[in-house]
Amino acid sequence: MKSICLFFQVHQPFRHRRYRFFDIGNDHYYYDDYANETILRKVAEKSYLPTNKLLLKLIKKMKGQFKVAFSITGVALEQFELYAPEVIKSFQDLAQTGCVEFLSETYSHSLPSLKNKAIFEQQVKLHDQLIFELFGQQPQVFRNTEMIYSDEIGARVYQMGYKGILTEGARHILGWKSPNFLYVNALNPRMKVLMRNFKLSDDISFRFSNSNWSEYPLTAEKFTGWLNKLDPKEEVVNLFLSYESLGERQPRESGIFEFMEHWVHNVVNSDTLKFATPSHVLEELQPISAVSVLHPISWADEERDLTAWLGNEMQKEAFEKLYKLSSRMERCSDSELNKDWNYLQASDHFYYMSTKFFSDGEVHSYFNPFDSPYEAFINFMNVLSDFKIRLNAMVPHEEEDQELAALHKIIDEKDKKIKKMEAELQRLRKSKLQQKPAAKRR
Amino acid sequence: MMKVLMFGWEFPPHISGGLGTACYGLTRGLAGLKDVEVLFVIPKAFGDEDQSTIRLIGANKIPVACKEIVFEGKEKKMDSLEVQSEIIPYVNEEEFWNLKSKRYAAKTQFVKTDEGMKIDFSGTYGPNLMEEIKNYALVAEIIAKENNFDLIHAHDWLAYPAGIAAKNISGKPLVIHVHATDFDRSGGNVNPTVYAVEREGMEAADKIISVSNFTRKAIIEKYGIPPQKITTVYNAVEPVSADQKPLFKKGVNEKVVTFLGRITMQKGPEYFIESAYLVLKKMDNVRFVMAGSGDKMNEMVSRVAQLGMAEKFHFTGFLKSGDVYHMLQMTDVFVMPSVSEPFGIVPLEAMQADVPVIISNQSGVSEILNHAIKIDFWDTYAMADSIFGLLNYPALAGFLKKSGKKEVGGLTWHHSAKQVLEVYQNLLNM
């Protein structure tokens, strides 16, 4: 019996407005509310809501035979709360069926796993808290931003308390090996690794409605047939998709929902296939070998590496400058700053700065609110400059600033003391005035 | 061996704008290809032009034996041409000022020849421009008669009448090369005479080469030419040789942002000034330079004074080509805010000199460049923001320098010439 592990990523960043350098120090609001709301409403109506409805229907119909997993980022959940609370409700309905597993990830769909251990842990903790609050689940399996994974990251995530992790079944990593087995981390064999079958995943998410594709149209029967044709010894097929694929990238008119419905029926009724969530896969299957990933991989682009986010000097610079603030952010308790800090970390901002689209990837430009990577970089750096000014005021950086802040604090305290004493004085004077006539009388 | 008779108006080193540079680059590119031979005609040959790769003749060196007959024939077509100095394109900056200060009465002139029966051309853009164009066409007929060639290639409107004349006498196909239209030069106030010459050239041509899709669109929409007749071939740059790059140090320890070009409506100098003002409001260690001259210069100087930033904003006047290199070497950011730019070769020169560039979307060159910041010329906020970004975020400037230089290295005349040859071949095989 082969397990089909169906997983969806749900993420929406808080997009920045055009933040000009004139705004630095003057205006601390960074977000394009209009774009964020319209995009979110659009995707919710085209994809999240109808797909959730379909999944709920299928789960109920299949009586527990159909299972899926999600990782929903904290920033996406925040936007649901703001612009489409009914989406949260529909995910909660799914959570209550017991057939849906929520995975752990970073709160902001961010990249600190590549940079800063403390921030990484903080981001994950923040995310899991929110998931527990909303869906009552304590995530057991981890999915890093954009499937980014390396031996080191896997081992660290194990130490953070997770038993398994999802990543890309990258060809240059697996070589002749098949992604359709359970693997373990090369540094820590107790950490299980699920490898994405990118061919079959992308058949649905990218190629489904492409009429130039030789396999077009893709029917449920055909797809189930492919699954059955796989080597019988293979144990798990990891279909990891971006949730917008259903309904947004593959629109309703393409027949994607009908495809899903029929295909789920086919799998559930099959004797050779069944659905399983990542946690089930970890419980049921024996890992067959270790997989060694020295340099981080991801599920992006042909190269399956980090170049979509950290490929050029601008991206690296922005990334460095952002995380240079880490230690001070740890000391910062201001809620507004922390909120912006979370939104700033979203990997999307770095993605917009990619210069790869000149050669590769309609995908890049499709998701990009900026006309050019240069514009994206300038905008982000302007925002970051303002953020730094605010952080400086709150948590000073330079010694001089620190001294100044300390002095300010002393002055503030003295002011308070003076006020207090003045009040005291006033009170005493008053009581003395009141006492005086009494004394005379005496 | 394919022989091409090419008509231009200027040729290095006697140039005042991009036209001569482009003609030189293209002919050199063509010379590098097999099976093409170019005979390049200009109104006035000085004798010091680089003739290592092509044969160049000056119309002033051709005896006009049959002047009267030809002249009469041309007179019918050309008699409406009158001289108006305001509409003169590519005007040499120095000459422009001289022209503006004098007033010329339009007068009818007969073809003047010297003792050797040769017409004396100035080869510039003086007040007798229309006369010269007419005479140029006249000589073109003689040249066309005396030389063997397979097709004719005429560069920009000044040479269109010459191209048409050569076509009429020889029956060979005519290619015209549109480096600009009067819509670019005039900012919309098209001179009807120039328009007529341009349109006549475009209609008479068998094939049109435009320097960008931006220009191609103008030819289709404003001149009513069928799209299939026009092919876009982008300009390129000559690689800079080491000796052309003297290491030059700037005297100030401040950033320098440069505008380099004619100070005319077409180049959008006022938008540069407004952006400079916005930037100076936010940062101090920067200077702005407007290099060039033109009819809007006084207006610009007073605007800078009005904004109270004259101590940070400098005018250099017209720069000679050597000084252009120096200027670019002192430059940290180059801005070309052109309102209407058929191509725009200076950003490419800036990129060669390791300078990051900001160009307007309303320029032909923006169609081929990836590694440049592109803005709308009227969006002074975006322009200012880009300048600020380049000055304050070193990673951006660094990346643009590196990748820009690489990109511009790929824009060779060899490549452009191959596309031009393709146009020739298609035309001859038709």
Side-chain angles (χ1 to χ4, degrees):
Chain A
M1 200 84 158
K2 230 186 265 329
S3 296
I4 308 294
C5 183
L6 193 57
F7 160 86
F8 298 111
Q9 157 184 312
V10 182
H11 169 61
Q12 290 295 333
F14 277 94
R15 292 160 200 85
H16 288 150
R17 67 183 178 88
R18 286 291 182 282
Y19 191 85
R20 304 288 190 209
F21 71 95
F22 324 101
D23 298 325
I24 300 173
N26 295 324
D27 188 338
H28 309 311
Y29 195 74
Y30 309 141
Y31 309 101
D32 186 342
D33 292 340
Y34 178 76
N36 289 329
E37 177 164 1
T38 24
I39 293 172
L40 194 94
R41 288 288 339 167
K42 193 181 100 189
V43 181
E45 270 150 33
K46 284 182 136 186
S47 169
Y48 302 152
L49 289 169
T51 318
N52 276 359
K53 199 173 144 197
L54 175 69
L55 296 188
L56 188 65
K57 186 177 109 182
L58 288 171
I59 287 170
K60 285 189 174 154
K61 208 164 161 190
M62 301 304 157
K63 300 194 171 66
Q65 299 294 297
F66 175 49
K67 301 182 184 97
V68 289
F70 285 100
S71 85
I72 313 175
T73 64
V75 285
L77 288 166
E78 276 193 50
Q79 288 198 64
F80 293 148
E81 267 165 20
L82 277 172
Y83 305 126
E86 66 271 35
V87 176
I88 295 193
K89 174 74 176 57
S90 70
F91 276 116
Q92 283 169 335
D93 291 344
L94 281 173
Q96 275 176 359
T97 62
C99 292
V100 176
E101 180 178 357
F102 291 89
L103 306 192
S104 174
E105 83 149 286
T106 55
Y107 188 84
S108 318
H109 205 62
S110 57
L111 308 167
S113 58
L114 303 164
K115 186 74 191 169
N116 188 305
K117 189 168 169 254
I119 300 286
F120 180 45
E121 287 175 4
Q122 185 200 28
Q123 278 262 309
V124 173
K125 213 170 122 193
L126 203 59
H127 174 263
D128 286 9
Q129 268 171 6
L130 187 60
I131 293 296
F132 185 75
E133 271 171 35
L134 291 173
F135 307 115
Q137 283 193 23
Q138 202 61 258
Q140 303 295 314
V141 177
F142 190 78
R143 198 296 302 240
N144 200 13
T145 305
E146 302 288 325
M147 303 283 167
I148 291 171
Y149 176 82
S150 69
D151 293 342
E152 208 189 318
I153 292 171
R156 183 178 307 154
V157 171
Y158 182 82
Q159 284 176 352
M160 285 156 62
Y162 302 92
K163 301 176 293 187
I165 187 166
L166 275 53
T167 187
E168 174 71 11
R171 196 177 277 142
H172 71 276
I173 295 299
L174 285 173
W176 56 269
K177 287 187 253 174
S178 159
N180 305 335
F181 291 99
L182 187 61
Y183 289 85
V184 293
N185 180 276
L187 300 176
N188 186 339
R190 272 167 296 185
M191 183 62 167
K192 313 267 172 49
V193 183
L194 286 96
M195 312 290 282
R196 174 174 178 259
N197 186 315
F198 65 82
K199 199 265 166 196
L200 292 171
S201 301
D202 290 347
D203 283 342
I204 300 176
S205 65
F206 284 103
R207 291 181 279 270
F208 181 77
S209 64
N210 179 359
S211 53
N212 293 325
W213 181 33
S214 60
E215 298 293 346
Y216 181 87
L218 180 62
T219 60
E221 285 69 32
K222 194 190 270 182
F223 197 71
T224 316
W226 289 347
L227 292 170
N228 276 320
K229 252 195 272 171
L230 295 170
D231 190 325
K233 276 183 231 148
E234 294 185 326
E235 296 174 315
V236 58
V237 180
N238 295 312
L239 301 176
F240 302 163
L241 318 172
S242 190
Y243 203 32
E244 304 86 65
S245 302
L246 309 182
E248 166 73 12
R249 196 183 297 142
Q250 309 300 340
R252 174 184 286 277
E253 303 76 54
S254 70
I256 187 74
F257 293 129
E258 288 77 7
F259 166 85
M260 284 303 288
E261 191 166 353
H262 283 105
W263 173 64
V264 168
H265 271 273
N266 286 352
V267 171
V268 169
N269 295 329
S270 142
D271 304 329
T272 49
L273 304 169
K274 65 165 185 176
F275 284 105
T277 66
S279 284
H280 289 125
V281 172
L282 300 188
E283 277 165 29
E284 290 170 10
L285 300 183
Q286 282 301 313
I288 56 152
S289 101
V291 59
S292 171
V293 184
L294 294 175
H295 304 290
I297 56 169
S298 79
W299 70 351
D301 302 333
E302 206 48 50
E303 298 90 339
R304 302 291 199 268
D305 59 10
L306 303 178
T307 51
W309 305 276
L310 298 172
N312 65 39
E313 285 89 338
M314 295 183 289
Q315 293 171 309
K316 286 175 194 160
E317 165 83 355
F319 186 70
E320 287 296 320
K321 287 278 147 75
L322 175 70
Y323 282 111
K324 230 177 154 175
L325 309 179
S326 305
S327 59
R328 278 194 287 157
M329 277 315 295
E330 278 171 49
R331 285 183 277 142
C332 174
S333 56
D334 182 76
S335 65
E336 280 302 309
L337 272 173
N338 270 301
K339 206 169 174 178
D340 288 331
W341 169 245
N342 283 336
Y343 301 165
L344 266 174
Q345 290 185 61
S347 58
D348 308 71
H349 300 308
F350 303 101
Y351 191 77
Y352 303 149
M353 298 173 202
S354 171
T355 40
K356 282 176 85 177
F357 73 83
F358 292 137
S359 52
D360 158 58
E362 290 157 39
V363 186
H364 283 255
S365 41
Y366 176 70
F367 292 109
N368 198 334
F370 292 97
D371 291 333
S372 84
Y374 307 115
E375 213 176 293
F377 175 77
I378 291 173
N379 213 67
F380 182 84
M381 293 305 283
N382 287 349
V383 169
L384 192 61
S385 302
D386 183 75
F387 183 79
K388 253 157 89 176
I389 291 172
R390 290 164 62 205
L391 182 60
N392 261 347
M394 208 68 80
V395 187
H397 179 45
E398 310 281 337
E399 247 175 60
E400 218 169 88
D401 287 341
Q402 242 162 2
E403 234 166 75
L404 267 176
L407 288 173
H408 273 297
K409 213 173 161 190
I410 291 172
I411 291 171
D412 279 350
E413 275 169 10
K414 292 236 159 120
D415 272 347
K416 264 187 212 160
K417 218 171 179 180
I418 289 169
K419 265 193 192 140
K420 215 171 128 192
M421 285 177 149
E422 260 175 0
E424 182 89 337
L425 205 65
Q426 210 92 50
R427 196 178 58 79
L428 285 174
R429 270 195 190 140
K430 254 187 202 165
S431 61
K432 214 172 181 186
L433 277 172
Q434 284 166 350
Q435 273 175 6
K436 257 184 186 169
K440 264 187 182 171
R441 246 180 269 149
R442 205 187 288 165
Chain B
M1 180 62 88
M2 186 192 293
K3 285 186 177 162
V4 182
L5 177 61
M6 209 176 259
F7 292 99
W9 194 256
E10 51 173 39
F11 206 77
H14 307 280
I15 59 163
S16 61
L19 178 63
T21 317
C23 289
Y24 178 65
L26 179 64
T27 50
R28 271 176 58 106
L30 282 170
L33 303 176
K34 271 186 233 158
D35 309 327
V36 204
E37 196 180 273
V38 176
L39 173 61
F40 200 94
V41 186
I42 46 171
K44 178 167 184 159
F46 290 84
D48 57 349
E49 289 88 358
D50 174 13
Q51 296 200 39
S52 55
T53 49
I54 56 150
R55 201 151 74 82
L56 184 98
I57 51 174
N60 60 330
K61 299 277 158 46
I62 304 292
V64 189
C66 46
K67 60 175 178 181
E68 270 162 40
I69 313 151
V70 181
F71 178 70
E72 274 171 19
K74 284 317 307 172
E75 184 75 332
K76 274 177 216 145
K77 262 185 200 163
M78 310 287 284
D79 58 3
S80 64
L81 297 186
E82 271 183 29
V83 176
Q84 283 171 351
S85 58
E86 284 86 356
I87 54 89
I88 295 168
Y90 301 120
V91 78
N92 173 309
E93 265 72 7
E94 292 310 307
E95 273 166 27
F96 187 91
W97 289 109
N98 295 337
L99 281 178
K100 287 288 273 189
S101 52
K102 289 181 210 160
R103 294 199 73 173
Y104 287 88
K107 54 183 174 181
T108 341
Q109 270 191 335
F110 288 96
V111 179
K112 276 196 224 154
T113 57
D114 62 12
E115 284 154 16
M117 300 291 274
K118 293 170 188 165
I119 304 176
D120 185 31
F121 287 94
S122 70
T124 59
Y125 304 95
N128 296 326
L129 185 65
M130 290 300 178
E131 195 70 28
E132 292 214 342
I133 293 169
K134 189 164 69 175
N135 293 343
Y136 190 33
L138 197 150
V139 179
E141 287 192 16
I142 298 162
I143 295 169
K145 264 191 208 161
E146 288 172 356
N147 289 277
N148 246 336
F149 53 90
D150 301 299
L151 59 83
I152 309 152
H153 188 154
H155 291 279
D156 247 13
W157 72 282
L158 298 151
Y160 295 166
I164 297 170
K167 179 182 170 168
N168 287 342
I169 207 97
S170 66
K172 302 287 190 207
L174 169 67
V175 176
I176 68 155
H177 205 131
V178 184
H179 295 263
T181 69
D182 207 47
F183 287 91
D184 305 311
R185 294 181 289 256
S186 65
N189 279 327
V190 181
N191 179 286
T193 313
V194 177
Y195 179 83
V197 174
E198 287 182 330
R199 185 163 179 157
E200 199 186 336
M202 291 172 190
E203 280 169 354
D206 298 280
K207 200 82 196 173
I208 298 172
I209 294 174
S210 61
V211 291
S212 62
N213 287 333
F214 179 79
T215 301
R216 186 171 180 271
K217 200 167 155 239
I219 298 170
I220 295 166
E221 288 173 1
K222 310 245 165 76
Y223 294 84
I225 303 297
Q228 61 274 16
K229 198 167 155 180
I230 318 161
T231 310
T232 295
V233 176
Y234 292 104
N235 284 340
V237 272
E238 288 282 305
V240 188
S241 55
D243 59 324
Q244 270 179 302
K245 284 178 66 182
L247 216 67
F248 199 79
K249 276 218 152 182
K250 64 180 172 193
V252 285
N253 192 20
E254 286 163 304
K255 302 280 186 183
V256 174
V257 184
T258 304
F259 169 103
L260 208 158
R262 281 174 294 123
I263 306 181
T264 60
M265 186 206 263
Q266 181 194 352
K267 303 291 181 184
E270 63 268 45
Y271 304 102
F272 181 70
I273 291 177
E274 300 306 320
S275 305
Y277 179 64
L278 293 171
V279 174
L280 283 169
K281 273 207 273 191
K282 268 281 178 182
M283 59 185 287
D284 197 43
N285 63 330
V286 57
R287 281 172 195 275
F288 291 83
V289 177
M290 185 167 276
S293 66
D295 60 352
K296 279 207 149 203
M297 180 141 166
N298 288 344
E299 197 187 313
M300 295 303 117
V301 173
S302 59
R303 180 64 182 150
V304 165
Q306 193 187 1
L307 291 170
M309 56 178 186
E311 56 170 11
K312 285 287 192 181
F313 198 108
H314 311 279
F315 292 87
T316 67
F318 176 72
L319 291 186
K320 287 195 292 259
S321 70
D323 294 337
V324 168
Y325 276 111
H326 286 163
M327 192 63 241
L328 286 176
Q329 261 161 1
M330 291 170 60
T331 298
D332 295 282
V333 177
F334 173 82
V335 187
M336 185 182 77
S338 292
V339 173
S340 179
E341 186 75 62
F343 188 76
I345 220 158
V346 193
L348 301 185
E349 291 172 346
M351 286 160 85
Q352 280 184 325
D354 284 325
V355 180
V357 301
I358 300 169
I359 56 179
S360 70
N361 288 322
Q362 290 71 25
S363 67
V365 73
S366 71
E367 291 166 25
I368 45 166
L369 288 183
N370 282 327
H371 298 295
I373 297 183
K374 301 174 197 175
I375 42 106
D376 289 317
F377 70 86
W378 45 262
D379 195 350
T380 49
Y381 278 74
M383 200 187 300
D385 203 34
S386 310
I387 294 170
F388 183 86
L390 279 168
L391 295 179
N392 286 279
Y393 310 130
L396 177 64
F399 183 79
L400 271 172
K401 271 185 205 174
K402 202 183 70 189
S403 43
K405 188 157 196 171
K406 202 167 143 201
E407 183 169 39
V408 80
L411 303 173
T412 63
W413 279 113
H414 178 73
H415 183 70
S416 303
K418 272 207 272 191
Q419 289 173 292
V420 169
L421 182 63
E422 219 167 277
V423 173
Y424 293 165
Q425 281 162 344
N426 288 337
L427 188 57
L428 292 176
N429 293 337
M430 244 172 4

